[in-house]
Amino acid sequence: MADDSEKQVVVSNKQVIFKDYICRFPEESDMVITFPSPYTPGTVITGYGVGKVMESGHPEFRQGDLVWGMVGWEDYSVLKSADGVFKILSYYTGILGMPGVTAYAGFYEVCKPKKGDYVFVSAASGAVGQLVGQFAKLMGCYVVGSAGTQDKVELLKNKFGFDDAFNYKVEPDLNAALKRYFPQGIDIYFENVGGKMLDAVLLNMRIHGRIAVCGMISQYNRPQPQGIHNLMSIVYNRVRIEGFAVFDYYPQYSDFLDFILPHIREGKVKYVEDIVEGLENGPAALIGLFSGRNVGKQVVVVAPH
């Protein structure tokens, strides 16, 4: 029987993505991962990335293969297990990777959209939100997104095809803003923000509305979470709220590729990444995430080829 070292895969990292569970200025408590092993000070931060196989003792991977999976913020990673590592062609840090699967699963599997639904997406210019809005348009839905700058609002409308969008930071009353954009109410809310935005959305949900909870970024840095005051709206309008984790939907990855690849080839789905060159620029890019400076998925290019 071969020992574990014969099954290792050595990859040269091409791109590293910041994990969504690292927020604000990193603290020791932020540096905890569930696999391949608990993070301890002095070990390498990990994230989803694309790499090229340099050496392999695994039968499914050969030298020269491109793969995506969990790798380190480093030039080379030794992967002691092939679990969660996929052989790929390109573009797998974003639209064909975790963000794409998240948008696909959250919108189609959790929200169960129908043609003509009224759809609201918060943090809509992010890696997941920009795709959810485009998927909704493919379904024939009316879609509005919120973002934190006017430039992002214009991107949503002019590049991603949202019917409308607004800058939540300049809206004094989120409930009034949502009533302005959804006079007939909201059928589907793709939740990325939480807090005051969720509270306002609950007042504007239609009967039998659906809310897919992908994240609540407004709550991550708060010493105490904000309370939600409009929960009775869930009862009045029979609203279904469901949280989900993308890992549960990885078995459907081949179905996702069958869906997304034709749309990419035909130019029906667009994707924006925020790319910086060089691992040495990773810390600055990470800090930029916390101020909303990035548009789309933040990617660090470790090697230019």
Side-chain angles (χ1 to χ4, degrees):
M1 181 176 177
D3 61 30
D4 289 342
S5 64
E6 293 179 350
K7 297 180 181 180
Q8 292 180 350
V9 179
V10 179
V11 299
S12 171
N13 296 327
K14 303 303 179 186
Q15 295 176 325
V16 175
I17 305 174
F18 298 127
K19 284 291 290 177
D20 55 4
Y21 53 71
I22 300 176
C23 58
R24 66 193 181 280
F25 292 98
E27 300 172 356
E28 184 174 339
S29 61
D30 294 317
M31 305 302 178
V32 177
I33 59 175
T34 56
F35 58 89
S37 62
Y39 180 85
T40 56
T43 59
V44 177
I45 297 175
T46 60
Y48 285 102
V50 171
K52 183 177 182 180
V53 175
M54 309 301 291
E55 300 177 17
S56 176
H58 195 285
E60 295 183 13
F61 300 97
R62 295 183 296 179
Q63 183 177 359
D65 286 344
L66 291 177
V67 297
W68 80 274
M70 187 65 69
V71 296
W73 291 23
E74 54 194 354
D75 292 326
Y76 295 89
S77 295
V78 177
L79 309 182
K80 296 184 179 180
S81 170
D83 294 342
V85 178
F86 301 88
K87 190 181 299 185
I88 55 93
L89 298 175
S90 63
Y91 220 175
Y92 280 72
T93 57
I95 188 171
L96 299 183
M98 183 269 289
V101 180
T102 302
Y104 174 81
F107 185 64
Y108 289 105
E109 299 294 330
V110 178
C111 292
K112 305 293 185 185
K114 302 185 298 293
K115 183 178 180 180
D117 277 345
Y118 295 90
V119 178
F120 176 52
V121 184
S122 58
S125 67
V128 175
Q130 61 179 260
L131 292 174
V132 172
Q134 292 179 82
F135 293 167
K137 289 305 299 177
L138 290 173
M139 281 289 300
C141 301
Y142 171 79
V143 187
V144 175
S146 65
T149 71
Q150 192 58 37
D151 287 342
K152 291 180 179 180
V153 167
E154 296 304 319
L155 185 71
L156 293 175
K157 294 191 291 185
N158 298 327
K159 186 175 183 65
F160 299 133
F162 283 57
D163 292 288
D164 218 328
F166 64 92
N167 181 351
Y168 71 91
K169 291 183 179 178
V170 301
E171 294 289 346
D173 186 334
L174 291 174
N175 179 33
L178 290 171
K179 283 181 165 51
R180 186 166 74 247
Y181 289 98
F182 293 98
Q184 299 181 51
I186 300 168
D187 292 297
I188 290 174
Y189 173 43
F190 199 92
E191 165 69 300
N192 292 306
V193 173
K196 294 180 180 179
M197 183 66 80
L198 174 59
D199 222 11
V201 167
L202 290 175
L203 294 175
N204 289 275
M205 294 298 296
R206 302 181 78 184
I207 292 178
H208 298 301
R210 290 86 74 202
I211 299 176
V213 183
C214 180
M216 293 188 176
I217 195 169
S218 72
Q219 303 303 295
Y220 297 160
N221 298 336
R222 301 182 66 88
Q224 294 293 330
Q226 286 179 304
I228 302 299
H229 305 282
N230 299 317
L231 291 174
M232 274 305 297
S233 296
I234 300 172
V235 179
Y236 298 147
N237 293 320
R238 283 82 87 192
V239 175
R240 178 170 60 84
I241 302 178
E242 182 176 345
F244 71 101
V246 65
F247 313 109
D248 296 338
Y249 295 92
Y250 277 165
Q252 300 177 31
Y253 186 68
S254 60
D255 295 334
F256 164 66
L257 288 183
D258 290 341
F259 163 80
I260 195 65
L261 288 175
H263 291 311
I264 294 174
R265 295 189 186 106
E266 296 168 12
K268 293 181 178 179
V269 172
K270 301 176 176 63
Y271 194 70
V272 171
E273 295 175 322
D274 200 322
I275 298 175
V276 298
E277 299 281 345
L279 188 59
E280 67 277 7
N281 293 315
L286 177 61
I287 292 171
L289 286 176
F290 312 138
S291 62
R293 192 171 66 203
N294 65 300
V295 177
K297 193 68 177 177
Q298 181 68 73
V299 177
V300 175
V301 177
V302 177
H305 46 275

